[in-house]
């Protein structure tokens, strides 16, 4: 006797998990899938539509579902699996956008600072802003995003340590890492990684790395989980050696945490051809780096965009979008994502002044004490904080028209609910080969400042609160037809 109830339960279980992104975790110097333990390499883009000027307390990059749906569909087509998002407002509802990117197979790395008063750590006098006011922003972002499975991690700071920073800045940033990790440990359901994004200032770069990755006996939670590098040293059709990528690879080969390019893509030579992609994901560099994020998604005054937003109804993919896609489509994803046991078994060095080589870099780990009110937040949670959750994606039709850089309409842009992380495709379409139509599956609903400084088939599914299709009609429909015939 066939157990129809059991069969039905199995189909529903399959349908509800088919498109969920699994949270990632840190294993040695790799990001890995928390379930399969497969290695994860970041193939990403920095995402701040409108630039820093486009951020307000009423609008941030993850608060407009129509924009997120459009961009997620274009990123799927491009082959992106991760975005970095700057400048977030904790009071806004981010459920729809986070769920859209989750369903699209795209992870998010989030900066906790923003450029408004009280939203950042002042590098010139960090002790003046290391306060409960600042932590309302920091912990507010954590609260808002901690329940989204596609949050890869949080940046505790972006280029805070540079030539203009006060000598004591490193210890305050490491204290922020500590406080964020302690807050997450106490108030979140999983250990979301926390790291730092550094400017590519070569004379202090390794000092900065060592400062954040070393193990501190009396404050183990202050150790960064990952390290981001904003590097623009590869310009035009450069080479592994001419760009200095060989030096970076040598420098970071012995890192004990995941290291990746949190910004890259020099635009001194235009259009950008992104030949550095083959080096970054090549055999040498993937032993030292966990991928990178191209700066940046939308065209702004600094001319780094992959996509130009013409108005609320039309966008144009620029030639840089096509050039980047061509490079991504050449990647050997099986090799890039394959695990290496030696990567997982690295051990951190103990913090010591001997790790710091530059006399201008702070060489002590006497971290500031947690302000009393901040300590209360860590123990009891941030009062009245808006907490997000993944929701159903109700529409996957892209409302905007998309054109390529020649002015030709691209008609095959579609949003697809993924069964895992998005990946580039060796047969991926480019602007010149567009033909198809929009998809109508069912998707999601909702609702740190940065600069480039320094050197398959669509399915009519609804996504469940974990980003999976709540009813997979292709599978479940066939099951019901089978069930009817047997009855």
């Amino acid at each position: 006797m066939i157990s129809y109830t059991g069969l039905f339960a199995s189909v529903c279980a399959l349908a509800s998990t088919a498109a969920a992104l699994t949270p990632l975790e840190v294993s040695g110097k790799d990001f890995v899938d928390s379930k399969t333990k497969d290695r994860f390499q970041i193939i990403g883009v920095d995402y701040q539509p409108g630039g820093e000027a486009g951020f307000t307390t009423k609008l941030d990059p993850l608060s407009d579902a129509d924009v997120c749906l459009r961009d997620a569909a274009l990123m799927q087509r491009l082959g992106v699996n991760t975005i970095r998002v700057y400048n977030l407002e904790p009071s806004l509802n981010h459920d729809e956008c986070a769920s859209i990117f989750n369903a699209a197979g795209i992870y998010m790395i989030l900066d906790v600072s923003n450029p408004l008063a009280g939203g950042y750590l002042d590098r010139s006098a960090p002790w003046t802003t290391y306060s409960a006011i600042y932590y309302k922003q920091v912990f507010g972002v954590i609260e808002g995003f901690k329940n989204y499975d596609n949050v890869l991690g949080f940046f505790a700071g972006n280029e805070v340590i540079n030539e203009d920073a006060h000598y004591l800045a490193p210890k305050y940033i490491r204290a922020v890492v500590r406080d964020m990790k302690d807050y997450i440990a106490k108030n979140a359901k999983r250990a979301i990684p926390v790291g730092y994004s550094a400017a590519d200032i070569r004379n202090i770069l390794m000092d900065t790395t060592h400062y954040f990755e070393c193990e501190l006996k009396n404050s183990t939670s202050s150790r960064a989980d990952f390290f981001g590098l904003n590097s623009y040293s590869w310009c035009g059709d450069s080479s592994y050696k001419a760009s200095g990528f060989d030096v970076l690879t040598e420098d970071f080969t012995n890192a004990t945490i995941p290291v990746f390019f949190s910004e890259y893509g020099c635009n001194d030579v235009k259009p950008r051809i992104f030949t550095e992609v083959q080096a970054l994901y090549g055999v040498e560099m993937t032993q030292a780096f966990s991928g990178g994020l191209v700066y940046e998604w939308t065209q702004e005054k600094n001319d780094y965009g992959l996509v130009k937003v013409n108005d609320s109804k039309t966008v144009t993919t620029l030639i840089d979008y096509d050039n980047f896609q061509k490079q991504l489509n050449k990647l050997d994803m099986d090799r890039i994502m394959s695990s290496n046991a030696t990567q997982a078994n690295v051990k951190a060095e103990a913090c010591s002044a001997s790790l710091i080589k530059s006399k201008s870099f702070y060489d002590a780990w006497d971290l500031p004490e947690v302000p009393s009110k901040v300590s209360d937040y860590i123990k009891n949670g941030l009062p009245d904080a808006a907490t997000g959750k993944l929701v159903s994606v109700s529409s996957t039709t892209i409302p905007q028209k998309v054109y390529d850089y020649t002015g030709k309409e691209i008609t095959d842009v579609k949003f697809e609910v993924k069964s895992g992380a998005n990946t580039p495709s060796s047969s991926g379409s480019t602007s010149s080969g567009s033909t198809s139509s929009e998809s109508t599956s069912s998707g999601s609903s909702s609702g740190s400042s940065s600069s480039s400084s320094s050197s398959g088939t669509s399915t009519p599914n609804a996504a469940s609160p974990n980003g999976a299709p709540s009813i997979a009609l292709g599978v479940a429909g066939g099951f019901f037809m089978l069930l009817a015939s047997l009855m």
Side-chain angles (χ1 to χ4, degrees), residues 161-173:
I161 302 166
N162 61 18
E163 294 93 338
D164 299 324
H166 192 277
Y167 181 64
L168 300 178
K171 76 173 188 177
Y172 279 91
I173 289 294

Side-chain angles (χ1 to χ4, degrees), residues 40-277:
F40 179 84
Q41 283 253 312
I42 294 168
I43 300 173
V45 63
D46 296 307
Y47 187 63
Q48 52 174 351
E52 184 178 319
F55 167 78
T56 70
T57 56
K58 296 181 179 180
L59 180 69
D60 71 19
L62 297 177
S63 62
D64 188 326
D66 282 346
V67 171
C68 290
L69 186 65
R70 174 200 71 199
D71 292 342
L74 286 168
M75 288 178 192
Q76 280 188 319
R77 185 174 179 273
L78 181 59
V80 162
N81 65 18
T82 308
I83 56 173
R84 175 188 182 177
V85 187
Y86 311 84
N87 305 332
L88 293 163
E89 169 53 47
S91 66
L92 297 176
N93 191 320
H94 303 104
D95 289 350
E96 285 184 313
C97 281
S99 301
I100 285 168
F101 283 110
N102 181 65
I106 296 173
Y107 288 93
M108 305 185 298
I109 306 175
L110 311 169
D111 286 71
V112 295
S113 299
N114 72 36
L116 304 181
Y120 60 92
L121 199 69
D122 183 350
R123 65 167 60 93
S124 63
W127 55 90
T128 64
T129 47
Y130 181 71
S131 66
I133 293 173
Y134 173 56
Y135 276 99
K136 284 186 178 180
Q137 165 69 24
V138 174
F139 294 158
V141 171
I142 293 174
E143 281 293 332
F145 288 86
K146 67 182 184 181
N147 292 332
Y148 304 141
D149 288 343
N150 61 326
V151 171
L152 191 160
F154 296 107
F155 276 125
N158 179 65
E159 299 189 359
V160 179
I161 302 166
N162 61 18
E163 294 93 338
D164 299 324
H166 192 277
Y167 181 64
L168 300 178
K171 76 173 188 177
Y172 279 91
I173 289 294
R174 180 143 177 166
V176 174
V177 172
R178 172 197 65 194
D179 301 340
M180 288 175 64
K181 289 178 68 174
D182 287 348
Y183 188 93
I184 290 167
K186 184 74 175 176
N187 298 285
K189 64 182 180 181
R190 64 182 175 97
I192 305 170
V194 176
Y196 175 70
S197 176
D200 187 2
I201 304 172
R202 297 293 169 98
N203 62 317
I204 60 169
L205 180 57
M206 295 318 297
D207 287 342
T208 306
T209 308
H210 291 144
Y211 194 88
F212 286 104
E213 75 170 344
C214 67
E215 192 72 68
L216 189 59
K217 271 189 178 180
N218 62 352
S219 183
T220 55
S221 64
S222 68
R223 180 177 184 249
D225 295 314
F226 59 82
F227 189 85
L229 174 63
N230 298 339
S231 181
Y232 295 85
S233 63
W234 186 303
C235 300
D237 192 15
S238 189
S239 69
Y240 184 57
K241 289 188 176 181
S243 65
F245 273 32
D246 60 332
V247 175
L248 290 176
T249 302
E250 183 178 355
D251 285 343
F252 286 102
T253 291
N254 296 319
T256 57
I257 55 177
V259 179
F260 58 92
F261 283 13
S262 40
E263 293 178 9
Y264 77 94
C266 169
N267 71 349
D268 287 353
V269 180
K270 300 173 187 176
R272 294 184 290 176
I273 54 176
F274 296 110
T275 49
E276 66 264 48
V277 166

